[in-house]
Amino acid sequence: MIKVLYSVDEVSDMIKHGARLLLAGDETVLSQLPTGNWVAGTSPYFMGDNGGETSKEKIMVTQLPEYVTETSIKTYDRQSIASIYSDIPANGFGFLIIPAFTEIHMSFAINAPDFPGFTTKPLLGWVSGVLLDDLGKTTPKVINGKTGEKIEDRALMMAVTLPADKLADIRMLNIFKQGTGDSIVFTVDGFEVTQVIVDGKSMNFADYLVEKSIDTRLPLVADYSGAGINISIKSIDKEKKSVSFYAPVFKDVQYRFAQPVDQYFQEFMTQVLIDDYAEFSSSNTANQKTMLFSCNCILNYLYSNLEGMRTGDMVGPITFGEIAYQLLNQTLVYLTIHSI
Amino acid sequence: MTIPPVTADIWKELILRKKVFEFDYLALQMLLGKLATDVQKDPSPAKIEQSVSRLYELMILNQNNPAARRDLQKLNA
């Protein structure tokens, strides 16, 4: 296992030596880093070398390979984010970090599928967060390493150019499968709803969840041609009779609640092992593809009790949302680089 | 790898969910999911044509992607 969690001093040395880095850590430690060619998001939760870990002292490091030909860093607000796909190089990928619970988070989540060029170039990343005990005391941030600027209201992307013989591919790992229960369709896009159409009948969604005693640790799942896209329930407001989500539901998409998962960690690891990632994690360099980055959802971390548990080489920040072309949640997203 | 021409029926059949595949390429899965929902709301010929163009463009631009190539094989089978 390659070391991925480092001290401030160790990361500072890498930066001073010109390394190009994708970082995650608590705001306090990230604030101590020198300027350089790096981007970061705040999160004290990691899948590290020794398994799931919460630390305000360590920094998760992904170092871009030497063969990367160019990088550039740009910030986005609600208006400019629409052009994000045009800023990704023709051969390369965009690495996007968005601060959680912000307007840019909501805007990207709802509008990304309508952005010009949606999915035509690899875009991945994550939503930054804070220690759950610190919610309300501090805010999630992204940091532009070029300037040292800490940003809480805009998104940040490092555009990475690859040489012609390399190709970036984004994959997703989801332990949840669409169940066989009621068909659930919403009449609006958004992070919060009141009404829902269940098997053709309009009703209040909060009432539905209570009456059916739905296990809200299970996400709603939409089937996108074989890809299960999760929508996790954040809370039920019994006063307002509304339900809020960690990612937006989309109007007219058919959702069903996920099949129950008996052993979250066991199922998670099964998925890790059966995924084609296993094909190259145990192989040699002749395999011609390597995993560069992965991130995993805080809900998987909590529900699968990943603290202290090892997940093979699937290491990376624990996030408040994952990005693979659009916002996802309760999934693991990873980036592979292929030699072609 | 042969990519069906933009005029081939298969693209329209995918958008209209008349043919359904378990695809591997995440970008294709997501774009197809979005376009199929859009066309369900607006099944006009112009919308279908626009959606077919976007799907075709995605596969043209990413035909070297291994997962995309596997999916193109499914379309050509």
Side-chain angles (χ1 to χ4, degrees):
Chain A
M1 167 62 68
I2 298 169
K3 182 176 174 178
V4 290
L5 287 172
Y6 292 87
S7 68
V8 171
D9 288 345
E10 289 171 317
V11 181
S12 297
D13 278 347
M14 294 180 207
I15 293 168
K16 287 171 188 166
H17 283 89
R20 296 166 293 185
L21 306 175
L22 313 174
L23 305 176
D26 187 74
E27 181 181 346
T28 313
V29 283
L30 295 174
S31 300
Q32 299 172 44
L33 296 174
T35 55
N37 202 344
W38 56 274
V39 291
T42 53
S43 174
Y45 301 103
F46 314 104
M47 291 309 301
D49 343 343
N50 295 311
E53 183 172 342
T54 305
S55 170
K56 285 191 161 189
E57 286 78 43
K58 295 177 183 174
I59 299 172
M60 170 70 64
V61 176
T62 301
Q63 183 164 351
L64 295 179
E66 290 289 324
Y67 58 69
V68 165
T69 55
E70 190 178 349
T71 61
S72 62
I73 298 170
K74 184 175 174 181
T75 61
Y76 295 88
D77 60 20
R78 286 179 60 186
Q79 280 71 44
S80 60
I81 192 101
S83 66
I84 194 163
Y85 277 96
S86 64
D87 292 335
I88 301 171
N91 186 41
F93 61 91
F95 187 84
L96 179 66
I97 314 176
I98 302 175
F101 316 127
T102 56
E103 283 193 353
I104 186 70
H105 179 197
M106 308 295 152
S107 175
F108 178 82
I110 291 172
N111 299 316
D114 291 317
F115 291 165
F118 173 63
T119 74
T120 53
K121 298 173 190 168
L123 175 66
L124 83 154
W126 57 287
V127 176
S128 63
V130 295
L131 188 75
L132 291 172
D133 288 344
D134 289 345
L135 279 172
K137 300 174 196 164
T138 185
T139 54
K141 294 181 181 66
V142 299
I143 304 178
N144 181 349
K146 284 273 188 190
T147 61
E149 183 186 12
K150 291 192 281 185
I151 303 164
E152 59 183 13
D153 60 353
R154 282 168 290 146
L156 181 69
M157 183 175 79
M158 180 180 272
V160 178
T161 305
L162 296 173
D165 64 343
K166 303 286 184 193
L167 181 148
D169 189 31
I170 300 170
R171 308 298 296 260
M172 178 184 75
L173 191 155
N174 186 359
I175 65 171
F176 297 102
K177 292 181 174 58
Q178 201 177 49
T180 55
D182 295 337
S183 159
I184 292 170
V185 176
F186 299 96
T187 54
V188 292
D189 297 341
F191 279 84
E192 186 174 327
V193 301
T194 52
Q195 290 303 111
V196 65
I197 297 170
V198 178
D199 284 341
K201 293 178 187 169
S202 181
M203 61 185 73
N204 177 272
F205 193 42
D207 287 345
Y208 171 80
L209 295 178
V210 172
E211 284 165 17
K212 288 271 188 173
S213 301
I214 299 287
D215 178 358
T216 53
R217 293 179 308 166
L218 296 175
L220 291 163
V221 182
D223 183 355
Y224 281 40
S225 301
I229 304 297
N230 299 336
I231 306 293
S232 309
I233 291 178
K234 187 176 181 186
S235 61
I236 303 170
D237 187 328
K238 289 179 182 170
E239 295 285 313
K240 285 169 60 184
K241 284 184 169 280
S242 65
V243 178
S244 60
F245 306 99
Y246 284 107
V249 292
F250 290 101
K251 182 184 174 186
D252 295 334
V253 171
Q254 185 183 68
Y255 299 94
R256 295 181 197 275
F257 274 100
Q259 294 173 15
V261 176
D262 292 333
Q263 299 287 337
Y264 276 89
F265 180 72
Q266 190 177 16
E267 182 63 27
F268 182 81
M269 286 309 296
T270 302
Q271 288 292 315
V272 167
L273 293 172
I274 64 171
D275 194 77
D276 78 347
Y277 166 70
E279 171 193 325
F280 59 90
S281 67
S282 59
S283 189
N284 57 35
T285 52
N287 206 313
Q288 296 189 316
K289 66 176 178 179
T290 54
M291 190 176 74
L292 185 59
F293 174 83
S294 74
C295 62
N296 199 346
C297 183
I298 185 86
L299 298 178
N300 283 340
Y301 187 80
L302 297 173
Y303 298 160
S304 299
N305 296 312
L306 292 180
E307 180 113 25
M309 307 294 263
R310 292 172 188 262
T311 52
D313 286 345
M314 288 287 192
V315 293
I318 297 295
T319 72
F320 281 48
E322 304 75 63
I323 298 164
Y325 304 104
Q326 66 184 50
L327 182 72
L328 304 173
N329 67 19
Q330 234 164 329
T331 59
L332 185 154
V333 166
Y334 62 97
L335 169 70
T336 57
I337 305 295
H338 297 250
S339 292
I340 53 175
Chain B
M1 176 58 58
T2 306
I3 301 177
V6 70
T7 52
D9 289 344
I10 186 69
W11 302 112
K12 193 192 275 191
E13 291 166 344
L14 290 173
I15 298 283
L16 295 173
R17 293 181 170 136
K18 288 182 178 171
K19 285 202 172 165
V20 177
F21 294 89
E22 290 277 314
F23 288 125
D24 292 330
Y25 182 36
L26 186 58
L28 173 61
Q29 291 171 316
M30 288 189 166
L31 184 60
L32 184 55
K34 186 239 174 332
L35 296 176
T37 304
D38 286 353
V39 164
Q40 196 179 342
K41 291 181 215 170
D42 173 12
S44 67
K47 187 71 179 178
I48 293 171
E49 186 180 343
Q50 181 194 57
S51 300
V52 163
S53 295
R54 286 187 62 184
L55 206 56
Y56 177 76
E57 182 195 14
L58 173 72
M59 300 311 279
I60 288 286
L61 289 172
N62 293 282
Q63 56 187 294
N64 288 330
N65 181 292
R69 293 171 77 88
R70 287 195 292 275
D71 288 344
L72 285 168
Q73 283 179 344
K74 293 173 189 169
L75 298 185
N76 287 320

